[in-house]
Amino acid sequence: MITLDINGKQVQTDAEPDTPLLWVLRDHLGMTGSKYGCGKALCGACTVHVNGAATRSCVLPVSAASGMKITTIEAVGDSAIGKAVQDAWVAENVPQCGYCQSGQVMSATALLTTNQKPSDADIDAAMSGNICRCATYVRIRTAIKRAAESLA
Amino acid sequence: MSTAEKDIFPQVDRRDLLKGTAALTVAFWLPAGKALANGGTGAVFEPNAFIRIGADGIVTVVSKHIEMGQGAYTGLATIVAEELDADWTKVRVEGAPADAKRYNNLNFGPMQGTGGSSSISNSFDQLRNAGAAARAMLVAAAAQKWSVPASEVSVVNGVVAHAKSNRSAGFGELAADAAKLPVPADAKPKDPSKYTLIGKNAARVDSRDKSTGKALFTQDVQLPGMLTAAVVHPPRFGARVKSFDATKAKAVKGVKSVVAFETPVRSGIAVLATDFWTAKKARDLVTVEWDESAAYRGSTTELYKEYRELAKKPGASAKKEGDPDAAFASAAEVLEATYEFPYLAHASMEPLNCVVRIGKQDCEVWNGEQFQTVDQLAVAKTVGLPPASVNIHMLYAGGSFGRRANPQADYVVEAAAIAKAAGVDVPVKMVWTREEDTRAGYYRPLYVHTLKAGLDKAGKIVAWQHRIVGQSIVAGTPFGGPGPIDATSVEGASNLPYAIPNLAVELHTTKNGVPVQWWRSVGSTHTAFSTECFLDDIARHTKQDPYALRKSLLTDKHPRHNAVLDLVAQKSGWSQARPKDEVWGLALHESFNSVVAQVVQLKRTSNGLKLAKVICAVDCGLAVNPNIVAMQMEGGIGYGLAAALTGAVTLKDGVVEQSNFDDYPVLRMNQMPAIDVHILPSTAKPTGVGEPGTPPIAPALANALALANGKPVRVLPLSAEGITLA
Ligand code: FES
Ligand code: FES
């Protein structure tokens, strides 16, 4: 049994230690908000926060996640920044197919947590690991700025 | 769900989420059509196949089309809500079950499916009439109840009212009475001048759920007893399983069974386990011996060689006007160019997957379902049940770009074949890895085009010849026509809008073992590039402005092309002096009855050329939701850019050389230009928007690059020629 700290709760899982956190979240704990897109830290669809940092859960063995504070898309809206990001996403009608957007929201929230007023270059740097095949990038950029403004 | 698992859900969302999960489990077992209703429980008024109104006043619009990102759910619901005069906040959308009678695509004939950017255009009148009839019944019910003339009853924002007697009621209060009334045959849809929702940017119905992780995709389906299947696909197209050894895989804890499967298009192995990671780990331990006697062993470099040779010979005539031979013979000058296009994978964000449960008398499918009745029929055949016994539950699709509408239902049938081979009656969720998604074929075909233009002494184009060489995406499918010409191979070339007196479009349809399929904007993915780039070649050669040349070739037979071209020129400031460090390119193309023009603005920076901005003008008829039209132009541009910059699937000795986003790179945030979209005001019927934004971007970019680098672009992707942007 591995004990995890997910969204402020202690949970136990009997998943094999090498199972990536993503699949523990999705298949063992029924939290399907974090998505599988590549399995190789190439697309960002699986992004969660580990001790506050945007982390690709598809390559993080669950054993290594034990003892860390994990936040997922299911709870990120509980924080003021996460909520502001999600509200901005809705206001700008960011999602198209939506499959990448959990990861986008997590990366954007992590960015705004450390950088209250990101420049375009900051946004490029923080968000270029998150692929959106629907190419919603224009609106992601606007929404991040809107969220930053709403938090200022 | 264990207590521990329940506990991880955050306080605020917990109840909702748990309710959602429980409802999900239950809803999934309800008959198709009732499943996954995200509102509108207890419908009491169901005037037609598209509308249900509950006692709670919730209006549920049944969408015969999939929501795969293009905003169809929102657009279709907007049309209904407009005619109903409903309160937009009380409108919900639900995917329709498979039914070729009630839910057929009016553009496709007797089949239900989504494609060709047709969701809004084929549904527009149908839903206006449906909404108008339902509204008339609510009005009649109110009139009866209040004993007042129906003509004095108004409906505004979901409130039915009689002003004189100061009475009003919500839809919910009238639903039961309305249900007892006959459906009027002559209810008139609104006059467009009265629209309050259409053309007004109604908020997307799916934004919140897709921003909070709550939207459900096939990948997210969880059902009691469900098993997850990971697959081993053949290393080459057409290879088949000869034998396999699953001893090690079966020893992995959690593995339930390992089976070989065979479908009309693919043979492979599936490992069924309690969860994906277990299945995938075990799958990696399976060893397979393949029978490759019928496998395709070609290479893309050879295909290009072969196609270039073919392009030298006349092909089947797709279009002929005037006397091209004579015109070329007497031309003062002849220009020629050859263009090459690679295979392209759709690479949707959600790798392909599908859930199937085979019961004794019935079968259920949970899927981001783009081709309902095709898939239903194919699954029925696979599992040996009548089509009516196959119930399809519609989920959101994490992109598709055409891939989920497979004429052979390849991945859906594969899931069914696996469930059948496993002999289980629990749901089986087949999940492909990104690698399998990339390598499974059904690509946009590889093409070679040659173009030839005859110019007279004054530089005027007097003859045009366009030869296209490549596989047909419809040959051998029910979509293939009888003649030698696959219209989807030449679309965009055979309907060239420019007035050229002598014109020939020819086609060589090739055959090989690489499975091919439509890909966002289909034939226009290549014809827009070759025609619009070649036109710029001519413009440069004859020292004409690209805009002026196009204008001179567009007659008043093409008012929409003229208007869109003028709009993009005006908005970009085409005729004004440009910043010294900028180079611009232009392209114009019609697809799916919409006309789009784009101007690409490249900026010279210390790191090289940067794609700074794209100005896009579109005529898509009446824009039901201008904001969604803009989103689709942005998305279409981004999708086309990814392909133009780096998109290529290559084969060597029959093996696909790409597998994931490292070797099949796609567009990222730092590469996305700013985009301005301008929609031509129109009162004409809506035309396509999901695809038409894609075709012009690659030629507009290439035309800018040709000016910047002094060398035309003839091969895609740009990376193949070593061209990169800052
Ligand atoms: S699924 Fe983790 S980065 Fe793509
Ligand atoms: S919204 Fe479709 S992949 Fe991002």
Side-chain angles (χ1 to χ4, degrees), chain B residues 57-245:
Chain B
I58 294 291
V59 176
T60 302
V61 176
V62 180
S63 170
K64 64 181 184 177
H65 292 291
I66 185 176
E67 177 56 82
M68 47 191 171
Q70 278 58 51
Y73 273 17
T74 305
L76 297 173
T78 300
I79 301 166
V80 171
E82 177 70 67
E83 292 298 338
L84 265 177
D85 283 309
D87 173 355
W88 183 243
T89 63
K90 294 206 171 127
V91 176
R92 308 285 180 269
V93 185
E94 165 186 313
D99 185 337
K101 282 211 184 70
R102 286 183 301 164
Y103 297 121
N104 64 320
N105 184 320
L106 303 177
N107 290 1
F108 289 0
M111 67 161 284
Q112 186 186 353
T114 302
S117 296
S118 63
S119 296
I120 298 294
S121 64
N122 96 92
S123 306
F124 190 61
D125 285 340
Q126 186 174 44
L127 292 184
R128 287 172 78 207
N129 292 329
R135 182 188 189 277
M137 291 165 80
L138 289 166
V139 166
Q144 236 172 43
K145 193 170 171 182
W146 301 329
S147 305
V148 298
S151 59
E152 290 179 6
V153 175
S154 68
V155 189
V156 178
N157 202 26
V159 178
V160 185
H162 184 248
K164 275 192 203 158
S165 62
N166 201 20
R167 273 177 295 199
S168 68
F171 287 1
E173 295 162 66
L174 297 166
D177 291 337
K180 293 182 199 128
L181 299 173
V183 181
D186 56 350
K188 273 220 171 52
K190 266 189 196 171
D191 185 283
S193 65
K194 303 258 155 58
Y195 285 162
T196 58
L197 269 174
I198 288 180
K200 301 286 193 298
N201 295 331
R204 274 184 77 132
V205 296
D206 50 354
S207 289
R208 179 65 66 179
D209 281 357
K210 287 178 174 178
S211 304
T212 52
K214 284 186 187 150
L216 288 171
F217 299 86
T218 309
Q219 196 83 12
D220 304 329
V221 171
Q222 294 176 308
L223 295 161
M226 186 181 83
L227 295 174
T228 300
V231 299
V232 186
H233 279 170
R236 293 182 173 85
F237 298 117
R240 299 175 59 185
V241 175
K242 196 177 193 176
S243 64
F244 68 102
D245 181 355

Side-chain angles (χ1 to χ4, degrees), chain A residues 94-101 104 131-136, chain B residues 68 349 398-399 401:
Chain A
V94 172
Q96 291 190 25
C97 84
Y99 194 79
C100 74
Q101 298 296 346
Q104 306 280 4
I131 290 172
C132 176
R133 283 296 278 153
C134 302
T136 60
Chain B
M68 47 191 171
M349 209 64 228
F401 313 111

Side-chain angles (χ1 to χ4, degrees), chain A residues 9 11 18 26-28 31 35-38 40 42 86-87 93 96-97 128 133-134 137 139, chain B residues 4-5 7-8 208 210 219-220 222 276 281 346-347 434-435 627 631-632 634 639 667-668:
Chain A
K9 306 274 170 191
V11 262
D18 68 339
R26 293 183 53 81
D27 285 359
H28 292 258
M31 304 169 77
K35 298 294 191 253
Y36 165 70
C38 71
K40 290 198 170 153
L42 297 166
Q86 288 174 331
D87 287 347
N93 281 287
Q96 291 190 25
C97 84
S128 287
R133 283 296 278 153
C134 302
Y137 301 121
R139 282 161 199 262
Chain B
E5 286 168 10
D7 279 341
I8 61 173
R208 179 65 66 179
K210 287 178 174 178
Q219 196 83 12
D220 304 329
Q222 294 176 308
F276 174 74
K281 255 186 8 187
H346 300 76
R434 169 61 56 195
E435 287 77 7
N627 195 21
M631 292 169 84
Q632 284 314 299
E634 293 159 14
Y639 197 75
L667 198 78
R668 291 177 183 271

Side-chain angles (χ1 to χ4, degrees), chain B residues 319 464 466 468 489-496 503 505 527 531 589:
Chain B
K319 171 107 179 187
W464 178 277
H466 190 161
I468 297 173
S489 296
V490 296
E491 63 186 2
S494 57
N495 55 335
L496 196 74
L503 176 140
V505 178
T527 57
T531 56
H589 193 77

